[in-house]
Each structure stands twice: as C-alpha cells, then as structure tokens.
Amino acid sequence: MTADIKRYRYGDPIDTDAVVMNIPVTVGDVPGWKVDTLNKCMSVIMSRDLVVYGLGETVRGINKRGWLYTSFNSDDPRHEEGKHSLYASQNFIILDDGKNCEGLFIDHPGTVHFDIGYSDIDVFTISFEDMDAYIYTISGNDPLTIVKNFRELIGTSYIPPRWAFGFGQSRWGYKNADDVRAVADGYEKLGIPLDMIYMDIDYMKDFKDFTVDPERFPDLPAFVSEMRKRGIRLIPIIDAGVKIEPGYDVYEEGVNNDYFCKKEDGERLVAAVWPGRVHFPDFLKPEVREWFGDKYRVLTDMGIEGFWNDMNEPAIFYTDEHLVEVFDELKELEKQELDIWGFFKLTELADSLANSPEDYRRFYHEIGDKRIRHDKVHNLYGFNMTRAAGEAFERNDPDKKYLLFSRASVIGAHRYGGVWTGDNSSWWSHLLLNIKQMPSLNMTGFLFSGADIGGFGADTTEDLMMRWIQFGIFTPLFRNHAALGTREQELYRFKRSEDFKHIIELRYALIPYIYSEFVSAVQNNGMYFKPLSFVYRDDPRCKTIEDQLIVGESIMIAPVYEQNSEGRYVYLPEEMKMIRFRSVDDRDEEIMSAGDHYIRVSFNEVLVFVRKDHKLPLGKPGMHVDELDFNDLKNITC
Ligand code: GLC
C-alpha cells in the first residue's frame, strides 16, 4: 500500500501527529505541480473536467473549484459564502478529471491558502505563510481508493458509544436542573425518542471548567442518575480557556506547573472568553494534555459519559494588550470629528477585538525543546485539547467508550473524537451547507459529525426544523442546538409535534443500519456519506449533483432544503426503490427508473432510495437506543 503514498519535504516541518505511518521522504518536488519555494507556493493548471474534492468543513460545495479557502481555524459564527475559513482545517484534497485522480495531503499546522480557480479560473495554487510542510501524494484508481489509502495513513477514525447515535437536545440557556428536567418531560410527554441532553456553559460555576454551579445543579451525581433512569445522558461542554481566579484549583495547578501559554516576555498570555480573563493550557505539551485530560474525571466520577469541547480554535474575545490599543485609538477618535471614515474606523476597531491575527502572534508553545509562535501551529490547538480528553479516557477507563466531539479540528483529531460544524444559523442555505459538508468531512477522516440542527443563530421556523430533521436523521451526530436568545426549538414546542415524533422514530428504526454502516466505514477506511460521483464513476451527471448523497452502501437520500417546497427534482443514476416514509410503518414503496424525476415530498415525508441489489434493514423504534433490538430487523430490498 505504501507504494501508493509518497512523502515530500519542504523546509523544516513540525511533527503534527496527523499521520500514523512513517513514509520515507522522496527526494524532489511533488510531481505534476510547479513548486516555487521562494514564493512559498505550488500550482497546477486545472483541465476543464477537473473536480477538486476535500477540505472537510468549509463553506461552499462538494466540488471546491471556484473559491479561495484558508486553513486557519476561526471562531466565526457567520458561515457565509464569502468567508474563507471556518472552525476546522482539513488539508486533504482529491483532484479528479474522471479518468485520473490523485490525492494530496498538506501536513502543515499553520496558515495555508487553497486558491482553487479563484484568482485564475484555470489555476489551482496552494500557498503558505511558511512553507515548512510534508506533502503527501496519494494515488489510486478512483476517489474511494484514494480515500482508503489516505485514511490508512492517518489512522482509524473515532467510534463513539452506540447510544451516541440517538437524538440529542441542546440549547445554550438551560440554566438549571429544572430546565433540563423540563426538556426531558417535554419529549417524554409526547413520546419523542431522546438519548441525550447537552449542558452548555451555564452548568459551570462562573464558566470555570470542571466545576459545577452548586445552586443551579445542587447534586449533579444524583441528577445524572435520575436522568439515566429516564434513559437520558447529560453531555456537558468544556471550554479551552481556564479562568484566572486565585484559589480555583485548575488555575492554581496550571500556574504552579507552568502549564499555560506564555508571551515572548515569559508572562502568561491573558485573554478573555466566557469566564472573563483566562489562560490557555499549552495542549501541545504531553504533560499538559495528561493533566487537563485527567480533569475530566471530575465529571466522569459523577457519572458523565460524554463531552463537547468548545472555543478551542482558541476563540479570543480580546487580549489585555489589544484592548488597551483599541481603547487608545478610540480615545483618539473621540477627539475628532466623526466623518464617514472615522465612523468606519470606529466600527472596525470594535470588530477587530475578537480573534485578532495579532493576538495569535502574541503567545508561544513549547514543542520538545522548541518554542514556537502560536500562529505557526494554530490549527493544532483544538486537536490537542480533544486529544487530551481522548487519551485520558483511554488511559483511565480503557474498557469504556466516551462520547467526545470538538468544534476546532484538524486531521489527526479524527482519531480522538468527532466534530460539530459550529455556530451555523437557522437559514435554509445552512441546511444545504450541512448536506455538502458531510461527505467532505468523511473523506478527511471525520465520520462522527453533524451540524446544529434547526440552526444555532437566528430564529428557526417549523418548516425549516422539519426539513433539517429529515436530513439530520441520517447524520451520525444528531443534535438540535440553538443559541441564547433565539426562538426555542425543542421539537415538542412545534404545532406538528406528531410529525416530528414520526421522523425521530424513523431515525431510531434506522439506527441498526446507520450504526453498522458507520462502523464498517470506519473499519474499512471508507465513507459513510459519499457524493454520487464517487459511486457512479461512469455517469457524468453525478459529478454535478451535490444535494443528494449516498448513505452507507444501500441507500441514496435527496433531502428537501427549500422554504415552502412541496417537492424536488431527483436524479437516479440507476433504477432504485423509492420509499416514502411518513412514519416507520406508514410508508409507500415504488420502483423508480433511472433518470430525472420531479417528486412531490409533503411536509411530513422523508424519501429514501434503496439501491439496486442492496437492502435496507429497518428495526422497530424505541424511546432510547439502549431499548432497540438490533436483531429484529426487516429488510427492504430493491
Ligand atoms: C459557542 C459554541 C456554541 C455554544 C456557545 C456557548 O458559540 O459554538 O455551541 O452554545 O459557545 O457555550
């Protein structure tokens, strides 16, 4: 297999731990590319037919051609088309002209720009701030073989516990145990299945990691077991920044053991996030990972079995230094006549406070005996926070599986946890974005993934939630999450709650299929979500279809993602059996010929297309995953 992978070395690369195989370095330049080390870039001419896949969690389509993407993990809640970076950086791409294809992995932890026909419509240029990188070329006859070879290189993806395939309800704003109880009651009363309730930052005492507010959650261990008896697991959030507060053990230990990131002058960096002023643990040091990872025990000892790691790009609201600079400039502005340019300056100044590029250059990491400025290894930060937790779970509890996923990620993190795609909005375009992100994430090793269903920011609507849930039932991570101050979007709040119940029950009936396809995709280095073009290689139409996906081996889905839509066009690359589900048992089946069809899809219907000579096993729903019978399945065949 290693014959299919070659490694090239540029400059003085840092070991990122992205890969698990030691491929010898090939002397020379990456074949086929014009490499210009002086200008720190490499480029290739793209033929008209060339499709570029990959890059994981980004804006825009499955075919990445036509835009500029920047690998620099960013806490930016406005996931608009004009953006270049989101929370993750997965530098793996596949170039496919239909006849030949090749994979490329840029193993570099700093900023990388992928200009894929943006500056010049025919040219693909990869440029670096520092061209210190290992570049791997991965060959194979088709994209799926390239993915398989690449995934062998980077190691097996994370598999969560089986119950994590259930439905989870989350909201930033559940203030106390009673709020959480009310959510469990709401679902239980209507008989809507639910396995997890997520606890956002309000469970902590003053947003301090590994603390529990004694007033809001007076007896968390008892509450955890109360909820477990109701079939529900509580999943708390952990943030990257540690509050600066004398007497707080995590802070004290971090200071005493020199575990926090420091500036050039040797002082600890002071940044502000939810708790106010914080220090950032230097997760790139193994001893810091061990220390921070062991802290999760505070909560696992209370019965907690899963976590979501957040703000780990790391997100910075401001640093002390930058705040002083901005205030100084504001004072200057105050003295002046605020003309239009002054007004722009004023708003820009306020906007410049958070996640400032300068702040990412203000602090350092210690890697071995090297001291490296943060921005040079920025994308490794979230990975190593999640790795801290993952390694600790393996060390302390080797026989148990924990649920773990992160916001920031990079290739390597896929071995320790999953990802959610961060602060999307309750927009129809973000439902479509969710559909397109899933196969791209899968290629790069992130199989346990999903978006905030219904949308995080902005107010959702009943029809958006319904259509999003109808797609979400196929995503391994299946969580409804919303921001503080937005419309409440627990499913029992909507008028057509009965329809929601039927769709969630369908998820539970599909879990035996979803789980086994997921695990087999992980074990075989395959993809759970595939673009049609990866499966129907000889059908040129499939290359442009990005709103239908192959899920597992047996089925194709064609979600509805437009407001007030009563149907959609679906392209069938071959004859398939269409199942129109209104609920698990209320369904119609119809053999559909290959070709284009306009298909009506009512508000309460989900379409599933069973592929020729494949079968879809369907179980019986239950209120919780633990209740499902994985042996009592009926096969639907085509
Ligand atoms: C971040 C997370 C979001 C969470 C919020 C409060 O914005 O992405 O999911 O609800 O912080 O913790």
Side-chain angles (χ1 to χ4, degrees), residues 199-218:
M199 296 163 75
D200 209 315
I201 46 175
D202 297 303
Y203 81 86
M204 300 180 201
K205 173 84 185 125
D206 302 327
F207 308 134
K208 284 182 293 198
D209 279 339
F210 312 113
T211 67
V212 179
D213 187 310
E215 268 162 37
R216 292 161 183 253
F217 291 88

Side-chain angles (χ1 to χ4, degrees), residues 449-465:
S449 51
D452 287 349
I453 288 169
F456 175 76
D459 293 327
T460 203
T461 60
E462 184 153 353
D463 54 344
L464 174 59
M465 181 52 100

Side-chain angles (χ1 to χ4, degrees), residues 19 91 201 332 359 526:
V19 306
N91 296 342
I201 46 175
E332 274 309 305
D359 284 339

Side-chain angles (χ1 to χ4, degrees), residues 573-587:
E574 61 176 336
E575 183 183 286
M576 292 184 186
K577 181 186 271 183
M578 179 177 81
I579 316 169
R580 183 186 288 280
F581 282 104
R582 282 170 291 275
S583 71
V584 179
D585 296 320
D586 180 9
R587 58 177 195 260

Side-chain angles (χ1 to χ4, degrees), residues 158-166 305 401-404 448 515:
Y158 164 79
I159 300 181
R162 203 159 78 170
W163 50 261
F165 285 78
E305 295 170 80
K401 268 192 191 309
Y402 284 89
L403 168 60
L404 179 62
F448 191 72
Y515 183 71

